[in-house]
Amino acid sequence: MDNKWDIIAEIPDLTGKVAIVTGAKYIDYSRWKGTIADHKSSSPQGIGYHIAHQLAIKGAKVYVGARNREKSQNAIDEMLQSTPSLVHERLVPLAMDLNDFQQVQSTARGILEREERLDILVNNATRFLGPYLFTTELLPLLKMTARQAPGVRIVNVSSRVHLALPTGVQFSSLDDFNQDFGSEDDHQSNRLRYGLSKLAMVLFSKEIQRRANEEGIPMVATSMHPGGVRTDISVRGMIDSRIS
């Protein structure tokens, strides 16, 4: 890991671009008992929060996605507090429960009605079906933007856990998507189900890119394993505490 990426220098100016980041909530550590509150200043929060924050710092209009309006607005308030130079209007709360497919569809269609372009879509901290529906609903706008302003990005945060799946896994039927891997609730079965969803995300990203290439659309769709990141979830896992 000799190479380091300088986010200040290497993220280009994004003025005029529109981005959506799901899973960008901010954690209020005051709700935690014990010593976890002591980690607030040092914890980097979540991946999605910082992606949204950095995109906004670079000038993009950013939809800050969270499960409800309060969590989305809390994230925006924290960004504005930590970076007073941010333009408030560039940060748009986006309340959407990705497990509610009707809400996902209506939210995406609302964005299509409001926005004339969409340059960046980051599906973060999610499983598969909700992001699949959200992305496919937004694809027409993403493609239109790419034709007018090459550089559109779809980034699906995945995980290398998909490599732990047994050989022969397929997605040819509904039963394939609903495999219990031996149990409805134990660590190993849950891990494999998580890996199954992440494999679906990897394959979905590859198929978006294949079709874009076939249509001659200058856009990039990719999945990525974020690596071992010291996020709030990692901190919670290391500290024996409970939400009050």
Side-chain angles (χ1 to χ4, degrees):
M1 299 296 291
D2 294 332
N3 296 328
K4 294 185 178 181
W5 191 56
D6 185 346
I7 62 173
I8 304 299
E10 297 192 45
I11 299 179
D13 178 42
L14 300 174
T15 302
K17 296 185 182 295
V18 178
I20 299 173
V21 182
T22 65
K25 68 180 181 181
Y26 174 77
I27 303 296
D28 180 5
Y29 282 89
S30 65
R31 298 178 61 234
W32 289 80
K33 292 180 179 178
T35 59
I36 195 168
D38 299 333
H39 288 256
K40 179 176 180 180
S41 61
S42 60
S43 172
Q45 293 298 322
I47 295 171
Y49 171 85
H50 278 283
I51 292 173
H53 190 192
Q54 293 300 322
L55 294 178
I57 288 173
K58 287 295 185 173
K61 175 182 179 180
V62 183
Y63 283 83
V64 181
R67 191 168 296 177
N68 57 55
R69 176 71 180 237
E70 179 183 7
K71 290 181 178 180
S72 176
Q73 189 61 54
N74 285 345
I76 290 173
D77 292 344
E78 180 64 23
M79 292 176 196
L80 292 171
Q81 180 177 339
S82 63
T83 312
S85 61
L86 282 178
V87 178
H88 184 276
E89 289 74 19
R90 288 182 186 159
L91 294 165
V92 183
L94 179 66
M96 178 177 62
D97 184 346
L98 284 158
N99 293 316
D100 184 335
F101 298 155
Q102 288 186 335
Q103 186 182 77
V104 170
Q105 187 176 60
S106 64
T107 300
R109 292 181 178 181
I111 292 171
L112 294 177
E113 292 177 358
R114 292 191 300 273
E115 295 295 342
E116 297 181 351
R117 66 183 298 162
L118 179 57
D119 302 86
I120 301 168
L121 171 61
V122 180
N123 290 308
N124 169 68
T126 59
R127 293 300 178 94
F128 174 66
L129 294 178
Y132 168 83
L133 176 59
F134 191 54
T135 303
T136 52
E137 287 285 337
L138 294 172
L139 266 177
L141 182 57
L142 288 158
K143 290 180 177 180
M144 184 185 74
T145 305
R147 290 189 178 100
Q148 298 173 355
V152 166
R153 298 287 187 271
I154 300 173
V155 180
N156 295 317
V157 179
S158 186
S159 168
R160 64 182 303 170
V161 175
H162 78 278
L163 298 173
L165 289 168
T167 58
V169 168
Q170 297 184 27
F171 294 104
S172 57
S173 69
L174 186 59
D175 288 340
D176 291 337
F177 281 89
N178 291 325
Q179 294 183 70
D180 61 15
F181 291 102
S183 172
E184 292 185 358
D185 189 18
D186 67 65
H187 174 73
Q188 181 61 14
S189 299
N190 289 339
R191 182 171 182 267
L192 291 175
R193 281 191 291 271
Y194 177 78
L196 189 72
S197 71
K198 296 307 180 182
L199 174 60
M201 188 67 87
V202 171
L203 297 176
F204 178 48
S205 305
K206 288 180 176 291
E207 182 62 15
I208 294 174
Q209 188 64 65
R210 187 191 69 80
R211 295 187 183 191
N213 293 345
E214 196 173 71
E215 296 174 41
I217 300 173
M219 61 184 283
V220 173
T222 186
S223 61
M224 47 79 70
H225 168 61
V229 182
R230 188 176 176 273
T231 63
D232 55 271
I233 293 176
S234 300
V235 172
R236 291 207 304 267
M238 293 186 292
I239 297 175
D240 183 20
S241 58
R242 295 290 186 269
I243 296 179
S244 58

